[in-house]
Amino acid sequence: MSNRETTADPTLDSPPASATSTRSADATEVVLTDQRILVLDFGSQYAQLIARRVREQHVYCQIVRHDITAERIAELAPRGVILSGGPNSVYEEGAPQIDPAIFDLDIPVLGICYGMQVACQALGGKVANTPSREFGRAMCEFIDHESIFRGMKDSEQVWMSHGDQVSQIADDFTVMARTATCPYAAIRHNTRPVYAMQFHPEVTHTPHGGQILHNFVREVCGCDGTWRLEDFADAAVEQIRKQVGNKRVICGLSGGVDSSVVAALLYKAIGSQLSCILVDNGMLRKNEQKIVIEEFSSHFKTDLHVVDAEDQFLSDLAGVEEPQEKRRRIGYAFIECFKAEAAKIEDAHFLAQGTLYPDVIESGADKDGPAATIKLHHNVGGLPEELGFELIEPLRDLFKDEVRRLGLELGLPEQLVWRHPFPGPGLAVRCLGEVTREKLEVLRQADAIVVEEIENAGLYRQTSQAFAVLLPVQSVGVMGDARTYDNAVAVRCVNTDDFMTADWSHLPYDLLARISTRIINEVKGVNRVCYDISSKPPATIEWE
């Protein structure tokens, strides 16, 4: 539902109307999608990051399953294909493979890490596990400075993360780069537009990786860079008008970035034909309902319905501790509340959702896309079928940072656009164990202190997401002369460009001290504060 502001994240069986690949009389619509790059996902933690880096070249990019057929790729007609990394060994039984006919399509292919290995194996090379494994930074010697390595120095830092590597290349390949322990760090085919590299150009630890991807996407693949958000907004607004006509649209509003941008697009397209519903599930941040109503009233002059449903949600969550079950019950309760309120809105025909690209990927909701489900998203599926509405998902092709830029393009204020993400299930997934009214109040107060102190320090925009987590443990403490046995709170603050990978924020010690002191002194029932210093991966940003 559009009230989920996710962190964090592809391919659409039929791309949304705002970015359809069907040619029409609308020139903007054609130019947005006439050029695209496909990323074949072999299970890499960086697959979404590759797609984001391609988008930075103003080229539309989709993530598809690794076993997509050459025939299907020909139908999608991409300008180029990128094979992602992955955790498997290509020579193991059951390891993900590629349709070798892809190399006969005369479409440029770039293999990265596992993608290099699977391409080499398909084209006559060999891959082996070697004792000289590389994990981390390495100095790479570039032998061939043409095509994808144009502009690179003779020696540059790259990021390696592999145990296997290509041990033998076919005669049709030429070496382009090497490291001290990897003689085939990058190669190219002599007659086909096939390139491969063992290192990861998509991560920031490869300082000039963006130049490599630029060379592949813009030079080798011949993309012109026509994917621009200002054109996307115009096309989305026009398509919404065509789809909706004079009918009414319902939009779930939470006050976060995703739903606010959806509402802004809809309002620009259809004005007073928009009705918004805010479901207060009792797990919002401090003063959240008031803030949402004030923001909504300031920017949209349309119909707003507020549903107070705290008692229902808490009743449904009683005794539940398992994270996925929490999400499932919250999603179901949300549908019930939304359905009841939607029934009161006359002539409603469409439902708008703030589904983002990572939602589609992580939920396994697309035929062409990867199938692994990381977590349940009540953005994806369920509600339209329950209500019998026709679905509108204007942000379904966008990553989080693109949504923010689109919000600014639509004129939303910076304090709203740059607000830290908040999960759809709300504080329930930050209240570990069973969710109760009392525990939520403790967490809500602690969370407000964390955000307030980070704002006071002038670091809110420099951090990407900050919040408190109420742990399911109690610890011994001393307050005054008395022994206490109270709750522990973890503080989580991360920095990230894309929410697909993240590092913990190195907040100043005096700031952490103020946060800890205030929480322990002001929040009754807490006697210990911890700071989470784990990165994503291996941890996720949210605790549940």
Side-chain angles (χ1 to χ4, degrees):
M1 195 58 225
S2 60
N3 83 324
R4 178 189 180 277
E5 304 305 329
T6 182
T7 53
D9 359 326
T11 269
L12 311 174
D13 183 21
S14 300
S18 56
T20 178
S21 59
T22 303
R23 293 185 176 272
S24 70
D26 188 338
T28 302
E29 196 171 46
V30 172
V31 79
L32 281 175
T33 61
D34 202 34
Q35 302 174 359
R36 71 179 69 197
I37 300 293
L38 298 183
V39 175
L40 273 60
D41 183 10
F42 288 90
S44 171
Q45 61 184 337
Y46 298 137
Q48 293 185 39
L49 189 55
I50 296 171
R52 270 302 298 121
R53 296 294 178 251
V54 172
R55 298 273 186 99
E56 288 174 1
Q57 306 301 326
H58 300 294
V59 175
Y60 183 63
C61 187
Q62 295 173 267
I63 299 177
V64 297
R65 58 190 307 123
H66 70 272
D67 56 356
I68 188 171
T69 65
E71 181 182 12
R72 177 59 176 152
I73 288 180
E75 291 174 2
L76 293 171
R79 288 291 185 94
V81 171
I82 298 177
L83 313 180
S84 84
N88 300 95
S89 295
V90 295
Y91 48 78
E92 292 178 348
E93 184 178 355
Q97 299 297 325
I98 191 174
D99 181 352
I102 289 173
F103 300 107
D104 297 326
L105 295 176
D106 198 32
I107 296 173
V109 176
L110 172 62
I112 297 175
C113 197
Y114 184 92
M116 173 187 189
Q117 296 163 15
V118 77
C120 284
Q121 187 181 64
L123 294 172
K126 294 182 180 180
V127 178
N129 184 270
T130 68
S132 302
R133 299 191 289 178
E134 292 180 299
F135 295 95
R137 293 174 176 85
M139 291 307 298
C140 185
E141 177 189 355
F142 291 93
I143 305 166
D144 186 338
H145 292 79
E146 296 302 312
S147 60
I148 61 172
F149 294 142
R150 189 182 305 278
M152 300 295 285
K153 298 177 182 177
D154 291 341
S155 180
E156 299 230 9
Q157 176 186 295
V158 298
W159 182 260
M160 291 284 194
S161 181
H162 67 95
D164 298 337
Q165 65 183 37
V166 175
S167 58
Q168 180 180 326
I169 58 174
D171 293 339
D172 293 331
F173 281 93
T174 297
V175 178
M176 300 185 74
R178 61 194 172 207
T179 71
T181 60
C182 184
Y184 306 121
I187 58 176
R188 64 174 172 82
H189 199 278
N190 295 330
T191 58
R192 300 182 183 188
V194 177
Y195 304 82
M197 59 191 67
Q198 187 60 65
F199 58 88
H200 290 269
E202 71 274 20
V203 301
T204 57
H205 304 306
T206 300
H208 294 111
Q211 178 66 41
I212 296 171
L213 290 175
H214 170 89
N215 290 341
F216 177 73
V217 171
R218 302 292 291 271
E219 304 299 330
V220 175
C221 299
C223 295
D224 299 321
T226 55
W227 172 254
R228 299 183 182 274
L229 285 176
E230 53 268 33
D231 295 331
F232 177 91
D234 292 341
V237 166
E238 181 61 28
Q239 183 56 37
I240 289 169
R241 288 172 178 162
K242 291 179 181 179
Q243 185 178 1
V244 171
N246 60 359
K247 296 184 174 67
R248 180 161 292 277
V249 179
I250 296 177
C251 175
L253 188 72
S254 71
V257 181
D258 304 345
S259 63
S260 296
V261 173
V262 169
L265 270 175
L266 290 166
Y267 189 69
K268 183 176 181 179
I270 60 173
S272 61
Q273 293 170 240
L274 172 66
S275 291
C276 291
I277 297 176
L278 167 63
V279 176
D280 186 345
N281 59 11
M283 284 158 276
L284 302 179
R285 289 169 285 198
K286 187 176 181 179
N287 298 323
E288 186 90 19
Q289 184 183 126
K290 178 183 176 182
I291 292 171
V292 171
I293 293 173
E294 288 177 352
E295 289 178 343
F296 182 89
S297 302
S298 298
H299 303 294
F300 310 105
K301 307 299 180 184
T302 189
D303 187 34
L304 173 63
H305 299 245
V306 179
V307 181
D308 290 308
E310 180 180 15
D311 291 342
Q312 178 181 340
F313 278 82
L314 287 175
S315 175
D316 290 348
L317 288 172
V320 178
E321 298 184 4
E322 203 278 320
Q324 288 289 69
E325 181 62 16
K326 282 185 189 178
R327 288 179 177 271
R328 191 192 68 80
R329 292 198 182 199
I330 289 170
Y332 182 78
F334 184 88
I335 289 174
E336 292 301 303
C337 292
F338 200 94
K339 181 192 299 185
E341 193 62 31
K344 303 175 185 177
I345 301 174
E346 295 184 1
D347 301 323
H349 186 79
F350 295 91
L351 174 68
Q353 291 189 162
T355 308
L356 302 191
Y357 206 27
D359 297 343
V360 178
I361 301 168
E362 293 182 354
S363 64
D366 183 73
K367 176 177 72 73
D368 286 334
T373 299
I374 297 174
K375 56 186 175 183
L376 298 176
H377 292 286
H378 60 275
N379 291 55
V380 183
L383 192 56
E385 291 79 4
E386 289 277 347
L387 298 178
F389 287 153
E390 190 174 336
L391 185 61
I392 297 176
E393 294 179 303
L395 308 183
R396 188 178 173 112
D397 277 336
L398 302 185
F399 289 102
K400 191 75 174 188
D401 56 323
E402 292 174 317
V403 172
R404 292 190 191 280
R405 299 203 327 265
L406 180 59
L408 293 174
E409 187 73 30
L410 292 168
L412 291 175
E414 287 202 4
Q415 66 267 25
L416 176 58
V417 170
W418 290 103
R419 194 176 189 197
H420 287 183
F422 189 61
L427 297 179
V429 294
R430 297 174 180 174
C431 181
L432 308 193
E434 183 181 6
V435 178
T436 66
R437 198 184 310 269
E438 294 73 25
K439 290 168 68 175
L440 285 170
E441 187 54 34
V442 170
L443 177 56
R444 190 174 286 116
Q445 292 182 50
D447 183 76
I449 290 172
V450 172
V451 174
E452 181 180 324
E453 286 298 332
I454 289 175
E455 287 177 332
N456 291 342
L459 295 175
Y460 190 79
R461 281 285 300 273
Q462 282 68 52
T463 56
S464 305
Q465 194 166 3
F467 54 90
V469 179
L470 186 63
L471 304 181
V473 296
Q474 291 182 305
S475 65
V476 175
V478 177
M479 289 187 176
D481 293 323
R483 176 185 182 275
T484 62
Y485 191 63
D486 281 330
N487 296 299
V489 165
V491 175
R492 178 74 156 144
C493 187
V494 299
N495 293 348
T496 177
D497 293 328
D498 44 48
F499 291 92
M500 291 170 278
T501 61
D503 194 12
W504 59 278
S505 303
H506 294 236
L507 298 180
Y509 288 155
D510 58 345
L511 172 57
L512 291 173
R514 286 196 302 273
I515 290 173
S516 177
T517 299
R518 282 196 60 193
I519 291 176
I520 291 173
N521 287 343
E522 299 176 27
V523 182
K524 186 178 180 180
V526 177
N527 67 358
R528 191 177 300 271
V529 175
C530 310
Y531 190 52
D532 183 348
I533 59 170
S534 49
S535 297
K536 175 187 180 182
T540 55
I541 294 177
E542 296 290 345
W543 276 51
E544 288 190 342

